[in-house]
Amino acid sequence: MPATPQRGRTARRLTIGAAVLAAAGLTAAALPAGADTGHAARTGRTVDVQLLSFNDFHGNLEPPQGSSGTVEEAQPDGTKKTVPAGGVEYLAQSLRTARKGHPYSVTAAAGDLVGASPLLSGLFHDEPTVEAMNRLGLDVTSVGNHEFDEGRTELTRLQKGGCHPKDGCYEKGRKFRGADFPYLTANVTDEKTGKPLLKPYTVWRHKGVKIGFIGVTLEGTPDIVNAEGIKGLKFHDEVATINKYAKVLNKQGVKSIVALIHEGGMPASTSYNYHCDSPGPGDGISGPITDIAKHVTSKVDALVTGHTHQAYACTIPDPSGRPRTVTSAASYGKLYTDTTLTYDRRTRDIVRTSVKAPGAANHVVDRTQPKAADMTSLITRWNKLATPVAGRPVGHISADIAGRGATTPESPLGDVISDAQLEATAADGKGGAQLALMNPGGVRSDLAFTASGSEGDGVVTYGEAFTVQPFTNMMNVVDLTGAQLLTALQQQVSGPNETSPKILQVSKGLTYTLDLTKKGADRVVKDTVKLNGTALDPAKTYRVAMNEFLAGGGDGFTAFKTATNKYVGPSDLDAFTAYLTAHSSATNPLTPPKADRITVVK
């Protein structure tokens, strides 16, 4: 696929600049001595290109609530400080401030800009987020697994524009124009044609500087999204795909290349400013990205990553042994990464020596700076449409109920959600469920006691509940034998989930011991698995409630695909809001559960 010139704000800015000069009757030569026309920058052999990047924004236009809206900062004395961060008004302002004084600046993202979004964006199929990304000057992004939440057709619409096929246009006289920036899907191809779903790469050009961007999502995307949405698509190996297109770019004369990879790692510290190259390059990071980084061709000069929602700016040697930066900016727009790429005009490549990689650091999107006025206007406009739905009270809580922000395998909010799903499907005419299981990745936030708007502290609004459960998956109730259920529990910590366990949230009555000192499936202690105090019977059939994503084998739980006798119930969000309404009031709010159903041995 041939490279096309970068179109967007850079080209428009240059055109406008030329028009202003012409209108003033001036040429570049007529400007006063010392005026910056870009000529001086073009005469030096090297020029510094500023690469600003972020990932996993997930439609968080407003500052995220609770722990989802904070970052951890390591202090000089060894202590850690919690800093409120995020919100597109502050992200846009941070990026605009960072660009000042940098005539060569490109902004990139590593996927999951949308999907699993709060109601302000999710209610409108993430059109508000794409509009915000256009305004803040995003140049390019890779696709993430959540870009497939509503299927390939919807992803294509987000790129190309047009009103939603079912819900139509949301504002009179306004038609959704789509993303001004390219979504790159290098390793996602159509099974029939073999061609990438969208562009595999793009080339950013500015004043003679050319940098190629290749975008991929994790090869395992089919395991973590609904199968229906990706029918007819194939997901290929990340390394092989990047290496393939790096060769294509080189043949076109593009020697400077950045890979945008929606796959990541786990740093040894949760502090965003942790030095992960101590004591040696990349020593402080583990996970899938480390192996990818070691095998991606040395033609690629930097890796911008995501998916794990972690913060790191590391150096990992490429196959030739030269250091190369690998970065991730946490999630939800709480951080951005600033990387300096020194571009050599003669070689057309990024300068990377045997001892030095491009410098990179993560920066907090703090909320003490001024808000970007255009983003405030955007949020206000969409909030007017969302408020009648979003502001409706659905329950009351006595304190924060930790979900996404919990530090334990079982979270208090996970207990509430699984109990809600059991209650919604327990009756004989509603599925007859005896227990419910919830995938941890589907719990997208905490429930915060502090009011997000004018509803008052402790009030849970529909919008806040939606932020926790944004997928609107339908509930399924299925037959599983005790043996199948045990296999599913073991799949939490074995197979594809062994290195990064996915601990299911369980409803009241289901208890067992998780021994993390053991390996693989043995981590689930078989004889401790009980339902309402009675040991699990391998031969007995149980009615188990779960969302349709899990029932389809999502997150590596293939045991659920063998289930039979399926009953389809309400959506997970409806079950959640109904439970909150039934079990809380202003005078008797819901208290956080103890989260003691799974006994963890470390």
Side-chain angles (χ1 to χ4, degrees), residues 397-576:
I397 55 176
S398 64
D400 288 357
I401 303 182
R404 192 76 174 185
T407 57
T408 52
E410 178 189 354
S411 72
L413 190 51
D415 284 2
V416 172
I417 290 170
S418 54
D419 284 353
Q421 294 179 352
L422 176 60
E423 185 166 296
T425 56
D428 287 342
K430 296 184 178 180
Q434 296 166 274
L435 67 144
L437 302 170
M438 174 65 193
N439 56 304
V443 184
R444 302 305 299 184
S445 183
D446 303 334
L447 276 184
F449 177 80
T450 303
S452 59
S454 60
E455 73 275 11
D457 290 347
V459 178
V460 180
T461 65
Y462 182 82
E464 290 166 341
F466 185 99
T467 298
V468 171
Q469 292 262 265
F471 298 108
T472 319
N473 279 316
M474 302 309 292
M475 291 304 303
N476 288 184
V477 185
V478 296
D479 280 353
L480 286 170
T481 65
Q484 289 172 314
L485 184 55
L486 178 60
T487 297
L489 293 177
Q490 292 172 330
Q491 287 176 344
Q492 300 176 109
V493 288
S494 62
N497 294 330
E498 181 163 4
T499 56
S500 182
K502 291 184 174 66
I503 307 304
L504 297 169
Q505 307 300 287
V506 299
S507 58
K508 59 184 177 182
L510 183 64
T511 57
Y512 69 95
T513 296
L514 186 66
D515 189 346
L516 297 180
T517 66
K518 297 180 180 179
K519 292 184 179 180
D522 289 339
R523 290 171 172 170
V524 175
V525 183
K526 292 182 182 180
D527 59 6
T528 66
V529 183
K530 297 179 181 180
L531 181 60
N532 299 322
T534 302
L536 195 70
D537 183 346
K540 184 178 178 180
T541 296
Y542 297 87
R543 293 291 284 165
V544 185
M546 65 190 76
N547 61 46
E548 60 186 320
F549 167 71
L550 271 181
D555 273 350
F557 290 97
T558 55
F560 293 141
K561 296 173 74 172
T562 62
T564 58
N565 194 22
K566 181 172 73 172
Y567 170 88
V568 179
S571 74
D572 52 7
L573 178 60
D574 285 347
F576 183 43

Side-chain angles (χ1 to χ4, degrees), residues 5 47 76 166 168 190 301 333 394 441 456 527:
V47 61
K166 290 184 179 179
D190 186 283
D301 298 294
V394 295
D527 59 6

